Each structure stands twice: as C-alpha cells, then as structure tokens.
Amino acid sequence: MKDVLAIYPGSFDTVTNGHLDLIERGAKIFGRLIVSVLRNFDKQPLFTLDERVEMLREVSRPWPNVEIDVFGGLLVDYARLREANVILRGIRAVSDYEYELQMAMMNRKLNPNLETVFMMPALSYSYLSSRLVREIARLGGPIAGLVPAAVEERLRAKDLT
Ligand code: PNS
C-alpha cells in the first residue's frame, strides 16, 4: 500500500505507547501517514493542541513518512482536502468495536470512497487509554511504560492538582 496516503485522526490527549505502536504499524504499511489532532473537542484537554502536536512530532521522528497535522470540522472533509484515501484507527478490544464501527459507517455514508482501516496495537497495550493514563498521572501513580519518555517528562512537569 505504498501509494496510499492514510490519516490517523484522534484527540491524542496524552499520547500513549498504544498510539505510538499504531503510528509505527501504519508507517510501515502506508506510503504516507498523517497523524492529525482534532482541534476542538468538547472536553477540557490536559495538553494544549500545540503540546499534543509537539509530542507527536517528537515521538514520530523515526518515521520520515509520518506527518503531524491538526484538523477541525468533519473528518471526511479534511480527508478530501488532504487527498487521503484511508482513515486509520486502532481497535484494542471488542469494547472499541461498536463505537468504531458506527464512526466508520457514518464516514462511509458521508464519503463512500474513503476506507477505514483498523489495526490492533500490541497486546501489551490493549488495556491502555489516554483517559486512564491521565487519571493515573493525576493521582500520582507510575506512568513509565505507558507513554513515550518525552510524554512522561511533560506529564511530570504538569500541575495535575
Ligand atoms: O481519539 P478519539 O477521541 O477517539 O478520536 C475521535 C475522532 C477525532 C476520530 C472523531 O471524533 C472525529 O473524527 N471527529 C471529527 C468530526 C467528525 O467527522 N465527526 C463525525 C464522525 S462519524
């Protein structure tokens, strides 16, 4: 799939090792991969948009075919703008499936030419989520091994009280 441009969209409010695992898998399969951070999502984010972009740039440095970008509005419109043919999403467990299926089907309804491709992160990351990492960090628990080292440093530097 070396001629395929894929978009890996998400909120990435704490980049985890699971995200990194998926970026690596995506970078190996697709010719180009755009990891794109949703600009305005409802929740109050822990990391600003700029911080999330910086973190993603740092951790994706080993893969020259990976670009970091931001997007707002509908994902299908953004994909059209970037001329991407594939949306990459990660599925960790069956519990992710329903939400992901709904999004994939709605995106297909909005643009039948855009394919959603699901990849599974390594089994060791199957229980990992940004929400849990944020909670563990806020409550002073150990986050080593859950997030890339650069993210761990930034989490430590944050006032999470
Ligand atoms: O990491 P997340 O929060 O699970 O990512 C969700 C994301 C950003 C992929 C999804 O909310 C999204 O695509 N939002 C953009 C708005 C949109 O297109 N909504 C319709 C989706 S069917």
Side-chain angles (χ1 to χ4, degrees), residues 14-17 46-47 127-158 160:
T14 300
V15 177
T16 68
N17 280 339
L46 174 61
F47 287 105
Y127 58 89
L128 196 50
S129 76
S130 297
R131 186 182 62 77
L132 285 181
V133 170
R134 286 197 306 270
E135 188 169 309
I136 293 164
R138 189 166 45 82
L139 299 173
I143 46 165
L146 305 182
V147 297
V151 177
E152 198 181 327
E153 267 171 45
R154 281 171 187 263
L155 271 170
R156 287 227 179 82
K158 279 248 168 218
L160 298 167

Side-chain angles (χ1 to χ4, degrees), residues 13-77:
D13 190 21
T14 300
V15 177
T16 68
N17 280 339
H19 292 132
L20 193 56
D21 181 280
L22 217 72
I23 291 173
E24 180 171 6
R25 287 172 201 279
K28 279 187 191 151
I29 283 210
F30 301 113
R32 280 174 62 210
L33 180 68
I34 303 174
V35 181
S36 200
V37 187
L38 180 63
R39 196 179 285 124
N40 5 293
F41 65 114
D42 311 334
K43 303 159 265 177
Q44 185 64 37
L46 174 61
F47 287 105
T48 66
L49 183 66
D50 286 349
E51 286 174 322
R52 283 177 275 152
V53 167
E54 273 171 32
M55 284 189 283
L56 283 166
R57 288 219 169 103
E58 275 172 49
V59 302
S60 65
R61 213 169 280 147
W63 301 284
N65 59 336
V66 174
E67 174 191 333
I68 312 300
D69 194 13
V70 297
F71 80 105
L74 282 177
L75 180 58
V76 289
D77 290 340

Side-chain angles (χ1 to χ4, degrees), residues 7 9 71-87 103-116:
I7 292 174
F71 80 105
L74 282 177
L75 180 58
V76 289
D77 290 340
Y78 171 70
R80 197 171 285 131
L81 188 80
R82 297 302 316 258
E83 298 179 344
N85 1 42
V86 164
I87 298 297
M103 271 205 304
M105 288 303 143
M106 186 55 83
N107 282 329
R108 178 177 284 170
K109 169 90 181 140
L110 296 170
N111 179 0
N113 296 318
L114 190 61
E115 286 297 337
T116 300

